[in-house]
Short mmCIF file of all heavy atoms in Angstrom, two decimals:
data_model
loop_
_atom_site.label_atom_id
_atom_site.label_comp_id
_atom_site.label_asym_id
_atom_site.label_seq_id
_atom_site.Cartn_x
_atom_site.Cartn_y
_atom_site.Cartn_z
N ILE A 650 108.66 106.28 209.38
CA ILE A 650 108.29 106.00 208.01
C ILE A 650 106.80 106.17 207.80
O ILE A 650 106.34 106.73 206.79
CB ILE A 650 108.69 104.53 207.67
CG1 ILE A 650 110.24 104.39 207.73
CG2 ILE A 650 108.21 104.14 206.28
CD1 ILE A 650 110.73 102.99 207.56
N ALA A 651 105.97 105.71 208.79
CA ALA A 651 104.55 105.78 208.65
C ALA A 651 104.05 107.23 208.59
O ALA A 651 103.25 107.58 207.70
CB ALA A 651 103.87 105.03 209.79
N TRP A 652 104.51 108.06 209.50
CA TRP A 652 103.97 109.39 209.63
C TRP A 652 104.67 110.44 208.77
O TRP A 652 104.08 111.48 208.43
CB TRP A 652 103.97 109.85 211.08
CG TRP A 652 103.09 109.00 211.93
CD1 TRP A 652 103.45 108.09 212.84
CD2 TRP A 652 101.66 108.97 211.91
NE1 TRP A 652 102.38 107.48 213.42
CE2 TRP A 652 101.23 107.99 212.88
CE3 TRP A 652 100.68 109.66 211.21
CZ2 TRP A 652 99.93 107.69 213.12
CZ3 TRP A 652 99.35 109.37 211.46
CH2 TRP A 652 98.98 108.41 212.42
N ARG A 653 105.90 110.18 208.36
CA ARG A 653 106.66 111.16 207.53
C ARG A 653 106.68 110.83 206.08
O ARG A 653 106.93 111.73 205.27
CB ARG A 653 108.10 111.32 208.09
CG ARG A 653 108.16 111.86 209.50
CD ARG A 653 109.62 112.05 209.92
NE ARG A 653 109.69 112.57 211.30
CZ ARG A 653 110.86 112.82 211.92
NH1 ARG A 653 112.03 112.63 211.28
NH2 ARG A 653 110.86 113.29 213.17
N ILE A 654 106.53 109.59 205.71
CA ILE A 654 106.62 109.21 204.32
C ILE A 654 105.26 108.72 203.81
O ILE A 654 104.76 109.24 202.75
CB ILE A 654 107.69 108.08 204.13
CG1 ILE A 654 109.06 108.58 204.53
CG2 ILE A 654 107.69 107.61 202.69
CD1 ILE A 654 110.16 107.56 204.46
N VAL A 655 104.64 107.77 204.46
CA VAL A 655 103.43 107.15 203.95
C VAL A 655 102.22 108.03 204.18
O VAL A 655 101.37 108.20 203.26
CB VAL A 655 103.26 105.74 204.58
CG1 VAL A 655 101.96 105.12 204.02
CG2 VAL A 655 104.45 104.88 204.31
N PHE A 656 102.10 108.60 205.37
CA PHE A 656 100.88 109.39 205.66
C PHE A 656 100.71 110.60 204.74
O PHE A 656 99.59 110.81 204.27
CB PHE A 656 100.96 109.86 207.15
CG PHE A 656 99.71 110.54 207.59
CD1 PHE A 656 98.60 109.84 207.99
CD2 PHE A 656 99.64 111.92 207.60
CE1 PHE A 656 97.43 110.50 208.41
CE2 PHE A 656 98.47 112.59 208.02
CZ PHE A 656 97.39 111.85 208.44
N PRO A 657 101.75 111.39 204.45
CA PRO A 657 101.52 112.51 203.53
C PRO A 657 101.06 112.09 202.14
O PRO A 657 100.24 112.77 201.53
CB PRO A 657 102.86 113.23 203.49
CG PRO A 657 103.54 112.86 204.77
CD PRO A 657 103.09 111.44 204.99
N THR A 658 101.59 110.97 201.65
CA THR A 658 101.21 110.51 200.32
C THR A 658 99.86 109.85 200.31
O THR A 658 99.18 109.76 199.25
CB THR A 658 102.27 109.53 199.76
OG1 THR A 658 102.46 108.51 200.72
CG2 THR A 658 103.58 110.25 199.53
N ALA A 659 99.40 109.35 201.47
CA ALA A 659 98.08 108.72 201.55
C ALA A 659 97.03 109.71 201.96
O ALA A 659 95.91 109.31 202.37
CB ALA A 659 98.14 107.56 202.58
N ARG A 660 97.28 111.00 201.84
CA ARG A 660 96.32 111.99 202.30
C ARG A 660 95.00 111.91 201.59
O ARG A 660 93.93 112.10 202.23
CB ARG A 660 96.93 113.40 202.13
CG ARG A 660 96.16 114.49 202.79
CD ARG A 660 96.92 115.80 202.68
NE ARG A 660 98.23 115.69 203.32
CZ ARG A 660 99.20 116.58 203.16
NH1 ARG A 660 99.02 117.64 202.39
NH2 ARG A 660 100.33 116.44 203.77
N PRO A 661 94.94 111.63 200.27
CA PRO A 661 93.58 111.54 199.65
C PRO A 661 92.76 110.42 200.25
O PRO A 661 91.55 110.63 200.51
CB PRO A 661 93.93 111.24 198.20
CG PRO A 661 95.31 111.83 197.98
CD PRO A 661 96.02 111.62 199.29
N ALA A 662 93.31 109.25 200.48
CA ALA A 662 92.55 108.14 201.06
C ALA A 662 92.17 108.46 202.53
O ALA A 662 91.08 108.11 202.98
CB ALA A 662 93.36 106.84 201.01
N VAL A 663 93.05 109.14 203.23
CA VAL A 663 92.76 109.53 204.62
C VAL A 663 91.59 110.53 204.61
O VAL A 663 90.74 110.48 205.50
CB VAL A 663 93.99 110.13 205.30
CG1 VAL A 663 93.64 110.75 206.63
CG2 VAL A 663 95.06 109.03 205.49
N THR A 664 91.55 111.43 203.64
CA THR A 664 90.49 112.37 203.58
C THR A 664 89.14 111.69 203.29
O THR A 664 88.10 112.05 203.84
CB THR A 664 90.76 113.41 202.43
OG1 THR A 664 92.03 114.04 202.68
CG2 THR A 664 89.70 114.47 202.38
N VAL A 665 89.17 110.67 202.41
CA VAL A 665 87.96 109.91 202.17
C VAL A 665 87.44 109.27 203.46
O VAL A 665 86.23 109.31 203.78
CB VAL A 665 88.24 108.80 201.10
CG1 VAL A 665 87.04 107.93 200.96
CG2 VAL A 665 88.54 109.51 199.75
N ILE A 666 88.33 108.68 204.25
CA ILE A 666 87.94 108.06 205.50
C ILE A 666 87.36 109.11 206.45
O ILE A 666 86.38 108.86 207.15
CB ILE A 666 89.14 107.32 206.11
CG1 ILE A 666 89.48 106.09 205.30
CG2 ILE A 666 88.87 106.95 207.56
CD1 ILE A 666 90.67 105.35 205.79
N ALA A 667 88.03 110.25 206.51
CA ALA A 667 87.54 111.33 207.38
C ALA A 667 86.13 111.79 207.00
O ALA A 667 85.29 111.99 207.86
CB ALA A 667 88.51 112.52 207.38
N ILE A 668 85.88 111.91 205.70
CA ILE A 668 84.56 112.35 205.24
C ILE A 668 83.50 111.28 205.52
O ILE A 668 82.41 111.59 206.01
CB ILE A 668 84.61 112.67 203.73
CG1 ILE A 668 85.48 113.92 203.49
CG2 ILE A 668 83.20 112.91 203.19
CD1 ILE A 668 85.64 114.26 202.01
N PHE A 669 83.83 110.04 205.28
CA PHE A 669 82.89 108.96 205.55
C PHE A 669 82.58 108.85 207.03
O PHE A 669 81.42 108.67 207.44
CB PHE A 669 83.45 107.61 205.03
CG PHE A 669 83.33 107.41 203.56
CD1 PHE A 669 84.02 106.43 202.92
CD2 PHE A 669 82.49 108.22 202.83
CE1 PHE A 669 83.91 106.23 201.55
CE2 PHE A 669 82.37 108.06 201.47
CZ PHE A 669 83.08 107.03 200.81
N ALA A 670 83.61 108.97 207.85
CA ALA A 670 83.41 108.89 209.29
C ALA A 670 82.57 110.10 209.77
O ALA A 670 81.70 109.94 210.63
CB ALA A 670 84.77 108.84 210.03
N ALA A 671 82.84 111.29 209.22
CA ALA A 671 82.10 112.46 209.65
C ALA A 671 80.63 112.35 209.25
O ALA A 671 79.73 112.62 210.07
CB ALA A 671 82.73 113.70 209.02
N VAL A 672 80.36 111.90 208.03
CA VAL A 672 78.97 111.79 207.59
C VAL A 672 78.22 110.71 208.38
O VAL A 672 77.06 110.92 208.85
CB VAL A 672 78.92 111.46 206.07
CG1 VAL A 672 77.50 111.14 205.63
CG2 VAL A 672 79.47 112.62 205.31
N GLY A 673 78.89 109.57 208.59
CA GLY A 673 78.25 108.50 209.37
C GLY A 673 77.96 108.88 210.80
O GLY A 673 76.88 108.55 211.33
N THR A 674 78.86 109.58 211.43
CA THR A 674 78.69 109.96 212.83
C THR A 674 77.68 111.11 212.92
O THR A 674 76.81 111.11 213.85
CB THR A 674 80.01 110.43 213.44
OG1 THR A 674 80.97 109.35 213.24
CG2 THR A 674 79.87 110.68 214.93
N TRP A 675 77.74 112.07 212.03
CA TRP A 675 76.80 113.21 212.09
C TRP A 675 75.36 112.75 211.90
O TRP A 675 74.46 113.29 212.53
CB TRP A 675 77.20 114.25 211.02
CG TRP A 675 76.45 115.52 211.08
CD1 TRP A 675 75.29 115.85 210.45
CD2 TRP A 675 76.78 116.68 211.87
NE1 TRP A 675 74.96 117.13 210.74
CE2 TRP A 675 75.82 117.67 211.61
CE3 TRP A 675 77.85 116.96 212.75
CZ2 TRP A 675 75.85 118.90 212.21
CZ3 TRP A 675 77.88 118.22 213.33
CH2 TRP A 675 76.88 119.17 213.07
N ASN A 676 75.17 111.77 211.03
CA ASN A 676 73.82 111.30 210.71
C ASN A 676 73.39 110.09 211.56
O ASN A 676 72.29 109.56 211.38
CB ASN A 676 73.73 110.89 209.25
CG ASN A 676 73.87 112.09 208.30
OD1 ASN A 676 73.51 113.21 208.67
ND2 ASN A 676 74.38 111.82 207.12
N ASP A 677 74.27 109.64 212.49
CA ASP A 677 73.92 108.47 213.29
C ASP A 677 72.72 108.74 214.17
O ASP A 677 72.66 109.71 214.92
CB ASP A 677 75.13 108.11 214.16
CG ASP A 677 74.91 106.82 214.93
OD1 ASP A 677 74.06 106.02 214.50
OD2 ASP A 677 75.59 106.61 215.93
N PHE A 678 71.75 107.86 214.04
CA PHE A 678 70.54 107.98 214.84
C PHE A 678 70.41 106.89 215.89
O PHE A 678 70.00 107.07 217.02
CB PHE A 678 69.31 107.92 213.92
CG PHE A 678 68.01 108.00 214.66
CD1 PHE A 678 67.51 109.20 215.11
CD2 PHE A 678 67.23 106.86 214.85
CE1 PHE A 678 66.28 109.27 215.79
CE2 PHE A 678 66.05 106.90 215.53
CZ PHE A 678 65.56 108.12 215.99
N MET A 679 70.81 105.66 215.49
CA MET A 679 70.61 104.51 216.39
C MET A 679 71.52 104.59 217.61
O MET A 679 71.06 104.28 218.73
CB MET A 679 70.89 103.20 215.59
CG MET A 679 70.51 101.92 216.37
SD MET A 679 68.74 101.85 216.75
CE MET A 679 68.09 101.64 215.11
N GLY A 680 72.78 104.94 217.43
CA GLY A 680 73.67 105.01 218.54
C GLY A 680 73.27 106.01 219.66
O GLY A 680 73.11 105.58 220.83
N PRO A 681 73.02 107.24 219.35
CA PRO A 681 72.53 108.18 220.37
C PRO A 681 71.17 107.78 220.95
O PRO A 681 70.93 108.02 222.11
CB PRO A 681 72.43 109.52 219.59
CG PRO A 681 73.40 109.40 218.51
CD PRO A 681 73.39 107.98 218.09
N LEU A 682 70.31 107.18 220.14
CA LEU A 682 69.02 106.72 220.63
C LEU A 682 69.16 105.63 221.69
O LEU A 682 68.42 105.62 222.66
CB LEU A 682 68.14 106.23 219.47
CG LEU A 682 66.74 105.72 219.81
CD1 LEU A 682 65.87 106.86 220.37
CD2 LEU A 682 66.09 105.10 218.62
N ILE A 683 70.13 104.76 221.53
CA ILE A 683 70.32 103.66 222.47
C ILE A 683 71.03 104.08 223.73
O ILE A 683 70.65 103.72 224.83
CB ILE A 683 71.08 102.50 221.75
CG1 ILE A 683 70.21 101.94 220.64
CG2 ILE A 683 71.45 101.42 222.76
CD1 ILE A 683 70.92 100.93 219.79
N TYR A 684 72.07 104.89 223.58
CA TYR A 684 72.98 105.12 224.72
C TYR A 684 72.72 106.42 225.45
O TYR A 684 73.19 106.62 226.57
CB TYR A 684 74.45 105.12 224.23
CG TYR A 684 74.91 103.78 223.74
CD1 TYR A 684 75.11 103.53 222.40
CD2 TYR A 684 75.13 102.74 224.66
CE1 TYR A 684 75.53 102.30 221.96
CE2 TYR A 684 75.57 101.51 224.21
CZ TYR A 684 75.76 101.27 222.86
OH TYR A 684 76.19 100.05 222.44
N LEU A 685 72.01 107.40 224.85
CA LEU A 685 71.83 108.71 225.47
C LEU A 685 70.39 108.89 225.93
O LEU A 685 69.48 108.71 225.11
CB LEU A 685 72.25 109.82 224.50
CG LEU A 685 73.67 109.77 223.95
CD1 LEU A 685 73.93 110.90 222.99
CD2 LEU A 685 74.67 109.81 225.10
N GLN A 686 70.20 109.25 227.19
CA GLN A 686 68.88 109.53 227.71
C GLN A 686 68.67 111.01 228.04
O GLN A 686 67.58 111.53 227.83
CB GLN A 686 68.61 108.71 229.00
CG GLN A 686 68.30 107.25 228.72
CD GLN A 686 69.53 106.38 228.65
OE1 GLN A 686 70.52 106.62 229.33
NE2 GLN A 686 69.50 105.36 227.78
N ASP A 687 69.69 111.66 228.55
CA ASP A 687 69.56 113.06 228.93
C ASP A 687 69.53 113.94 227.66
O ASP A 687 70.34 113.74 226.74
CB ASP A 687 70.73 113.52 229.82
CG ASP A 687 70.68 112.84 231.17
OD1 ASP A 687 69.64 112.29 231.53
OD2 ASP A 687 71.73 112.88 231.86
N GLN A 688 68.63 114.88 227.65
CA GLN A 688 68.48 115.76 226.51
C GLN A 688 69.71 116.63 226.30
O GLN A 688 70.05 116.96 225.17
CB GLN A 688 67.24 116.64 226.64
CG GLN A 688 66.92 117.46 225.40
CD GLN A 688 65.63 118.26 225.56
OE1 GLN A 688 65.08 118.31 226.64
NE2 GLN A 688 65.18 118.89 224.51
N SER A 689 70.42 116.96 227.36
CA SER A 689 71.61 117.83 227.24
C SER A 689 72.77 117.12 226.58
O SER A 689 73.75 117.77 226.20
CB SER A 689 72.03 118.30 228.65
OG SER A 689 72.35 117.19 229.47
N LYS A 690 72.69 115.79 226.41
CA LYS A 690 73.78 115.01 225.79
C LYS A 690 73.40 114.49 224.43
O LYS A 690 74.24 113.88 223.78
CB LYS A 690 74.15 113.85 226.69
CG LYS A 690 74.66 114.26 228.08
CD LYS A 690 74.96 113.03 228.93
CE LYS A 690 75.41 113.45 230.33
NZ LYS A 690 75.72 112.29 231.19
N GLN A 691 72.20 114.72 223.96
CA GLN A 691 71.74 114.15 222.71
C GLN A 691 72.27 114.95 221.53
O GLN A 691 72.71 116.09 221.64
CB GLN A 691 70.20 114.07 222.69
CG GLN A 691 69.66 113.05 223.67
CD GLN A 691 68.16 113.07 223.72
OE1 GLN A 691 67.52 114.03 223.27
NE2 GLN A 691 67.55 112.04 224.34
N THR A 692 72.17 114.37 220.34
CA THR A 692 72.70 114.92 219.13
C THR A 692 71.58 115.48 218.25
O THR A 692 70.42 115.35 218.56
CB THR A 692 73.50 113.87 218.36
OG1 THR A 692 72.63 112.77 218.05
CG2 THR A 692 74.66 113.35 219.20
N LEU A 693 71.99 116.03 217.09
CA LEU A 693 71.02 116.63 216.22
C LEU A 693 70.07 115.61 215.61
O LEU A 693 68.89 115.96 215.37
CB LEU A 693 71.74 117.39 215.09
CG LEU A 693 72.26 118.81 215.41
CD1 LEU A 693 73.09 119.34 214.27
CD2 LEU A 693 71.08 119.70 215.67
N SER A 694 70.53 114.41 215.33
CA SER A 694 69.64 113.40 214.77
C SER A 694 68.52 113.10 215.73
O SER A 694 67.35 112.91 215.29
CB SER A 694 70.45 112.14 214.44
OG SER A 694 71.09 111.64 215.60
#
Side-chain angles (χ1 to χ4, degrees):
I650 296 173
W652 296 107
R653 296 184 181 181
I654 298 177
V655 180
F656 186 81
T658 53
R660 190 175 301 167
V663 171
T664 304
V665 172
I666 289 177
I668 292 176
F669 282 166
V672 173
T674 307
W675 188 268
N676 294 330
D677 185 22
F678 178 79
M679 189 63 67
L682 179 65
I683 294 173
Y684 293 108
L685 302 179
Q686 284 86 35
D687 293 344
Q688 188 176 7
S689 60
K690 299 177 182 179
Q691 291 174 346
T692 59
L693 277 173
S694 57

